[in-house]
Amino acid sequence: MSLPSHTAENGKVGLDSGAVRLKELGYKQELRRDLSVFSNFAFSFSIISVLTGITTLYNTGLSFGGPVSLQYGWFIAGGFTMIVGLAMAEICSAYPTSGGLYYWSAMLAGPRWAPFASWLTGWFNIVGQWAVTTSIDFSLAQLIQVIILLSTGGKNGGGYEASKYAVIGMHGGILLLHAILNSLPISLLSFFGQLAAAWNLLGVVVLTILIPCVATERSSAKFVFTYFNTNNGDGINSKPYIFVLGLLMSQYTLTGEENDAGGYAIAEIFYQAFKNRYGSGAGGIVCLGVVAIAIFFCGMSSVTSNSRMAYAFSRDGAMPLSSLWHKVNKQEVPVNAVWLGAFISFCMALTYLGSTVAFQAMVSIATIGLYVAYALPIFFRVTLASESFTPGPFNLGRYGVLVGWIAVLWVVTISILFSLPVAYPISNETLNYTPVAVGGLLILTVSSWILSARHWFKGPITNVDS
């Protein structure tokens, strides 16, 4: 790999190579680039949020495989995710625009396919990002519900269980706060992003040390590293199948065991650890508060990300009322795009009022939809642009095509695995609606292209004079 510097015309290293490269690509800088390297890392780290991912899907890992899935799944998923990230980083280095994925697809697919490639990638990306925000903030609303339940006595002690309407109300309030924070000047938002990164990092360290120290019972090393749970209660007996579901299942667990936390496994673990040691689960509730704040920051960063994507996509006229979502305020913040994302994410969550199945379909778009958007420009890079691709400062050298193919094949693999049934016998309540949701998005995107967009959408539009 090599990391050459980008130089200006006078041969000296440019003070803002990103701005120079943007001008070369045909764009003038409209969004403030006041985020430092650490601030950019902080937002990315907050969106990834280990505390968010583990706590919301811990039930899934316990049910499908247990300790083996929870332990070794990290190495498998993490390794392939790193490969996808490397393939994307190489392309990003060559085309550092806020449009990101859909712009890359346009540049790599060639003049003939650029508009359609850009349209398809862009819509999968933006809808996937809105769905991510929906799932993150909804999981926070659920956790707040669990904290209230445990604080008032727990499920088995007559504690207060919020209705689904109350949960939706909390979800709306969280989105409102996130929209307000993302309307602030980027310097203030940068501060919150750095705070979020610190909170996530320290939260993981503290909880990883604290909970085992407090717990009065501990599993043996043999159980932790070798026990495989096949008792999932969903009629699935095949060990490979169980492991796959424990590793890759795309749906949030919304119901579970009848414990004090109402089936929220990680909350029950925290609560019982302190209760068994001190006779009170209050310490466990405080630990859940640490997790809740981490999830809050995760949702905040997710809104930051989807608003920039909506800004870029509307800049090129791809969205209805594009001129509205492309506007920036005096602080160069795309406020309209921020509030659009919050509103759509709230509307997506309203499907929960109809049925859990409908909401799971929305959440599945957040997983498969985004990975499809990741894979498309990588696919174009290793096929149509395999010979013409001009790398940027960061590049994989001769390994770029190989890494790209592995990334594409991994996305194809998880897309199939995400679509497998998660319970038998299959019924309306147990059917995995991922193929329906993602297939529906694909049909809508392609149909809108055929019926309308192919006549007027030309892909990314430059906004500087040649």
Side-chain angles (χ1 to χ4, degrees):
M1 301 180 195
S2 59
L3 293 168
S5 299
H6 186 89
T7 57
E9 291 180 358
N10 60 8
K12 296 181 180 180
V13 176
L15 295 178
D16 186 349
S17 60
V20 173
R21 180 58 176 150
L22 272 179
K23 188 173 182 180
E24 291 176 352
L25 295 174
Y27 288 102
K28 64 181 180 180
Q29 181 177 305
E30 293 182 303
L31 296 181
R32 295 186 67 87
R33 301 168 72 93
D34 289 349
L35 292 181
S36 64
V37 172
F38 178 74
S39 294
N40 275 288
F41 163 78
F43 277 106
S44 299
F45 188 74
S46 300
I47 292 176
I48 293 171
S49 185
V50 173
L51 288 175
T52 301
I54 289 179
T55 55
T56 54
L57 287 176
Y58 197 75
N59 288 50
T60 299
L62 287 179
S63 298
F64 297 98
V68 168
S69 291
L70 293 172
Q71 291 288 347
Y72 304 110
W74 284 95
F75 297 101
I76 297 173
F80 282 107
T81 299
M82 177 62 73
I83 290 175
V84 175
L86 285 171
M88 293 173 65
E90 183 181 52
I91 301 173
C92 180
S93 181
Y95 308 110
T97 74
S98 59
L101 300 171
Y102 85 93
Y103 182 91
W104 305 346
S105 287
M107 296 299 101
L108 296 168
R112 179 181 179 185
W113 293 103
F116 177 66
S118 177
W119 178 264
L120 187 64
T121 305
W123 276 110
F124 264 87
N125 188 16
I126 188 61
V127 174
Q129 289 203 31
W130 287 331
V132 166
T133 301
T134 302
S135 59
I136 293 171
D137 283 4
F138 191 83
S139 69
L140 176 55
Q142 286 187 304
L143 180 56
I144 293 174
Q145 170 202 357
V146 171
I147 291 175
I148 295 173
L149 173 62
L150 291 173
S151 301
T152 54
K155 186 176 180 66
N156 297 322
Y160 172 75
E161 290 189 82
S163 68
K164 59 183 180 180
Y165 297 99
V167 174
I168 285 293
M170 287 187 280
H171 174 71
I174 294 166
L175 281 169
L176 178 63
L177 289 175
H178 284 158
I180 292 172
L181 287 174
N182 275 278
S183 299
L184 297 174
I186 193 65
S187 57
L188 289 176
L189 190 60
S190 174
F191 167 75
F192 284 113
Q194 294 178 42
L195 177 62
W199 188 275
N200 272 276
L201 181 59
L202 292 176
V204 169
V205 173
V206 169
L207 294 180
T208 300
I209 296 173
L210 180 62
I211 299 302
C213 289
V214 170
T216 57
E217 297 181 17
R218 298 180 182 86
S219 298
S220 66
K222 180 179 180 180
F223 176 85
V224 171
F225 292 104
T226 66
Y227 178 73
F228 190 79
N229 176 36
T230 58
N231 185 23
N232 51 74
D234 289 309
I236 300 175
N237 300 313
S238 168
K239 287 188 176 182
Y241 199 161
I242 290 172
F243 181 78
V244 162
L245 294 178
L247 174 66
L248 302 169
M249 194 171 93
S250 64
Q251 298 171 337
Y252 278 93
T253 300
L254 302 177
T255 57
E257 303 159 352
E258 289 298 314
N259 54 34
D260 276 328
Y264 206 105
I266 201 75
E268 180 72 5
I269 291 173
F270 288 2
Y271 185 75
Q272 290 298 332
F274 279 87
K275 188 175 182 179
N276 292 338
R277 169 75 70 174
Y278 303 109
S280 169
I285 296 174
V286 173
C287 290
L288 290 176
V290 173
V291 174
I293 294 174
I295 299 176
F296 179 84
F297 282 137
C298 179
M300 178 197 74
S301 300
S302 179
V303 172
T304 305
S305 178
N306 72 49
S307 64
R308 270 54 182 180
M309 172 57 197
Y311 158 85
F313 209 30
S314 61
R315 174 188 60 196
D316 295 320
M319 297 174 61
L321 303 176
S322 283
S323 60
L324 182 61
W325 318 127
H326 177 56
K327 286 183 179 179
V328 295
N329 62 13
K330 293 180 179 179
Q331 288 77 38
E332 299 178 19
V333 175
V335 175
N336 293 345
V338 167
W339 288 89
L340 172 68
F343 175 74
I344 291 180
S345 295
F346 179 71
C347 291
M348 284 184 166
L350 291 178
T351 56
Y352 177 69
L353 297 178
S355 71
T356 300
V357 169
F359 177 72
Q360 288 171 340
M362 292 294 100
V363 173
S364 67
I365 294 176
T367 51
I368 296 296
L370 276 184
Y371 267 100
V372 169
Y374 297 159
L376 284 172
I378 300 174
F379 175 74
F380 296 134
R381 184 260 183 270
V382 298
T383 54
L384 298 177
S386 61
E387 300 296 330
S388 61
F389 177 70
T390 302
F394 174 85
N395 67 84
L396 302 174
R398 60 180 179 176
Y399 298 106
V401 173
L402 175 62
V403 170
W405 272 117
I406 295 174
V408 170
L409 292 175
W410 173 246
V411 173
V412 171
T413 300
I414 63 173
S415 298
I416 295 172
L417 298 180
F418 277 170
S419 302
L420 297 174
V422 296
Y424 291 89
I426 299 174
S427 66
N428 290 337
E429 293 300 320
T430 62
L431 178 65
N432 186 343
Y433 281 83
T434 298
V436 177
V438 178
L441 177 59
L442 177 63
I443 291 172
L444 286 174
T445 304
V446 174
S447 297
S448 62
W449 170 260
I450 295 174
L451 297 176
S452 176
R454 66 187 178 93
H455 298 296
W456 51 266
F457 182 70
K458 305 303 180 184
I461 303 172
T462 59
N463 60 3
V464 296
D465 296 332
S466 59

